[in-house]
């Protein structure tokens, strides 16, 4: 890859791909660092709903390649490597990657987030043996069996709905008093005869020797323990931003990157977009909007030389 760019985008999810598309369409020499897999968390989503232009929904594993192709046709370059480091270099930034250094005048941090773990016994040991994060991948292998989904938000409900098309029973366990997230999902979950919702439940242990055989549960209110026989468990209790590389560069907010309304960070020429930034909507449409907004802010900075006033939120 070349050494000098106008804008480098770190991240191959929807925020990063949209940023790359927007930057290329603005005529900026653009490099997108996608990592080994393009699409990020989208790849495990069988149907993204609420994304403009797809009234029947669109698989994440289709939407990501379509966006990448459009960005490539606009002129963006791609490298299957990750951002390792960055440091000030004159008026721009020297960006370390797995394939060497590049220099850019602007940088978009769209490094995404990873699914949080329960942190209970059995989770790490049985990963891939019944502990999963991808219903669309594993549901066909569970026909006639019982699966548990941990979480009460959009992702958990989406996975429960995907699983119900294959398994005989889905138990949706949430630590809170009830389901959260979009009304559409809540209605569909509660109307699905295969899905049982249990609120105010905490998972204390994932049971099984060579594979998952059950869960040890605790009622949040009474403290009573019980065991639930399941063949698989899917964990969707939230996201942890992939921002470990930023230690010492920015003051993070619960691990996420603070920005202003234009996705600008406190560092000149650097924006954040998608689920890596604080206050992210954690929706596909929102991530795409973040990516476009971030690049427009950097494009104006490269043209005018003005980043943000000192009173802007950091």
């Amino acid at each position: 890859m070349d050494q000098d760019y106008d804008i480098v985008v770190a991240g191959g999810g929807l925020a990063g791909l949209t940023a790359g598309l927007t930057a290329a369409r603005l005529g900026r020499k653009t490099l997108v660092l996608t990592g080994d897999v393009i699409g990020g968390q989208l790849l495990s989503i069988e149907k993204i709903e609420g994304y403009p232009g797809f009234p029947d929904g669109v698989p994440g594993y289709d939407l990501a390649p379509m966006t990448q192709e459009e960005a490539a046709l606009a002129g963006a370059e791609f490298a299957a490597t990750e951002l390792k480091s960055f440091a000030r270099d004159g008026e721009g930034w020297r960006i370390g990657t797995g394939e060497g250094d590049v220099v850019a005048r602007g940088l978009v941090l769209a490094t995404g987030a990873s699914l949080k773990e329960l942190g209970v016994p059995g989770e790490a040991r049985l990963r891939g043996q019944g502990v999963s994060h991808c219903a669309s991948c594993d549901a066909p292998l569970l026909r006639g069996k019982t699966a548990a989904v941990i979480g009460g938000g959009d992702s958990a409900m989406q996975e429960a709905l995907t699983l119900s098309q294959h398994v005989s029973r889905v138990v949706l366990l949430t630590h809170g008093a009830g389901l959260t997230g979009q009304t559409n999902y809540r209605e569909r979950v509660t109307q699905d005869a295969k899905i049982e919702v249990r609120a105010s439940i905490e998972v204390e242990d994932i049971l099984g020797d060579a594979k998952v055989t059950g869960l040890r549960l605790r009622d949040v209110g009474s403290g009573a323990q019980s065991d639930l026989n399941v063949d698989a468990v899917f964990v969707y209790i939230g996201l942890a931003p992939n921002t470990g590389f930023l230690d010492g560069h920015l003051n993070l907010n619960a691990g996420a990157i603070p920005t202003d309304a234009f996705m600008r960070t406190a560092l000149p020429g650097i924006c954040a977009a998608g689920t890596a930034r604080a206050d992210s909507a954690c929706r596909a449409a929102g991530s795409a909007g973040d990516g476009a907004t971030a690049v427009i802010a950097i494009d104006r900075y490269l043209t005018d030389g003005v980043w943000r006033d000192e009173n802007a939120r950091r």
Side-chain angles (χ1 to χ4, degrees), residues 93-220:
W93 296 92
R94 178 166 294 276
I95 298 160
T97 80
E99 298 181 2
D101 290 359
V102 296
V103 175
R105 298 167 65 199
L107 172 64
V108 178
L109 300 173
T111 49
S114 299
L115 292 168
K116 290 182 179 178
E117 297 184 349
L118 288 168
V120 300
E123 183 177 22
R125 179 171 52 84
L126 294 170
R127 186 171 293 111
Q129 304 298 322
V131 176
S132 176
H133 290 294
C134 182
S136 60
C137 307
D138 296 333
L141 305 175
L142 297 169
R143 293 188 184 279
K145 297 185 177 183
T146 298
V149 177
I150 315 301
D154 285 349
S155 295
M157 289 188 285
Q158 282 179 299
E159 297 302 287
L161 290 166
T162 296
L163 285 164
S164 74
Q165 300 174 40
H166 301 272
V167 304
S168 62
R169 180 187 179 211
V170 180
V171 184
L172 183 53
L173 304 167
T174 175
H175 185 272
L179 299 175
T180 59
Q182 299 180 56
T183 300
N184 178 273
Y185 290 139
R186 293 202 306 270
E187 291 176 348
R188 286 160 58 189
V189 163
T190 55
Q191 292 170 7
D192 192 316
K194 286 188 178 182
I195 301 176
E196 174 189 354
V197 179
R198 297 191 188 180
S200 301
I201 294 293
E202 185 174 285
V203 177
E204 293 192 327
D205 199 346
I206 299 177
L207 308 175
D209 294 326
K211 62 179 182 179
V212 170
T213 59
L215 299 173
R216 179 147 297 143
L217 309 178
R218 182 179 67 85
D219 184 279
V220 173

Side-chain angles (χ1 to χ4, degrees), residues 35-313:
D36 293 333
V37 180
I38 294 175
Q41 296 293 339
L42 292 181
L43 296 183
S44 65
I45 302 178
E46 189 168 85
K47 185 165 70 170
I48 296 171
E49 299 182 63
Y51 193 85
F54 297 94
D56 298 321
V58 56
Y61 45 79
D62 285 343
L63 182 59
M66 285 191 290
T67 309
Q68 182 201 10
E69 182 179 4
E70 189 175 358
L73 288 172
E77 298 177 30
F78 292 85
T81 187
E82 296 180 348
L83 182 150
K84 300 293 186 181
S85 63
F86 63 93
R88 204 73 166 116
D89 188 304
E91 295 184 356
W93 296 92
R94 178 166 294 276
I95 298 160
T97 80
E99 298 181 2
D101 290 359
V102 296
V103 175
R105 298 167 65 199
L107 172 64
V108 178
L109 300 173
T111 49
S114 299
L115 292 168
K116 290 182 179 178
E117 297 184 349
L118 288 168
V120 300
E123 183 177 22
R125 179 171 52 84
L126 294 170
R127 186 171 293 111
Q129 304 298 322
V131 176
S132 176
H133 290 294
C134 182
S136 60
C137 307
D138 296 333
L141 305 175
L142 297 169
R143 293 188 184 279
K145 297 185 177 183
T146 298
V149 177
I150 315 301
D154 285 349
S155 295
M157 289 188 285
Q158 282 179 299
E159 297 302 287
L161 290 166
T162 296
L163 285 164
S164 74
Q165 300 174 40
H166 301 272
V167 304
S168 62
R169 180 187 179 211
V170 180
V171 184
L172 183 53
L173 304 167
T174 175
H175 185 272
L179 299 175
T180 59
Q182 299 180 56
T183 300
N184 178 273
Y185 290 139
R186 293 202 306 270
E187 291 176 348
R188 286 160 58 189
V189 163
T190 55
Q191 292 170 7
D192 192 316
K194 286 188 178 182
I195 301 176
E196 174 189 354
V197 179
R198 297 191 188 180
S200 301
I201 294 293
E202 185 174 285
V203 177
E204 293 192 327
D205 199 346
I206 299 177
L207 308 175
D209 294 326
K211 62 179 182 179
V212 170
T213 59
L215 299 173
R216 179 147 297 143
L217 309 178
R218 182 179 67 85
D219 184 279
V220 173
S222 67
Q225 287 187 324
S226 62
D227 287 354
L228 174 68
N229 295 326
V230 299
D231 301 287
V233 55
F234 296 79
V235 181
Y236 288 90
I237 57 171
L239 296 171
N242 297 325
T243 56
F245 63 93
L246 285 172
D247 187 34
H249 285 288
L250 289 164
N251 294 321
L252 302 180
N253 180 1
I257 306 169
T259 69
D260 64 12
F262 300 98
M263 309 298 131
R264 298 176 298 189
T265 72
L267 299 175
I270 298 184
C271 283
T275 52
R277 79 172 184 89
D279 303 319
S280 169
C282 295
R283 304 272 175 86
S287 290
D290 281 3
T293 300
V295 165
I296 291 170
I298 293 175
D299 180 70
R300 289 173 177 167
Y301 167 65
L302 299 185
T303 300
D304 301 334
V306 177
W307 185 231
R308 50 186 286 177
D309 66 63
E310 292 302 315
N311 295 319
R313 180 167 61 88

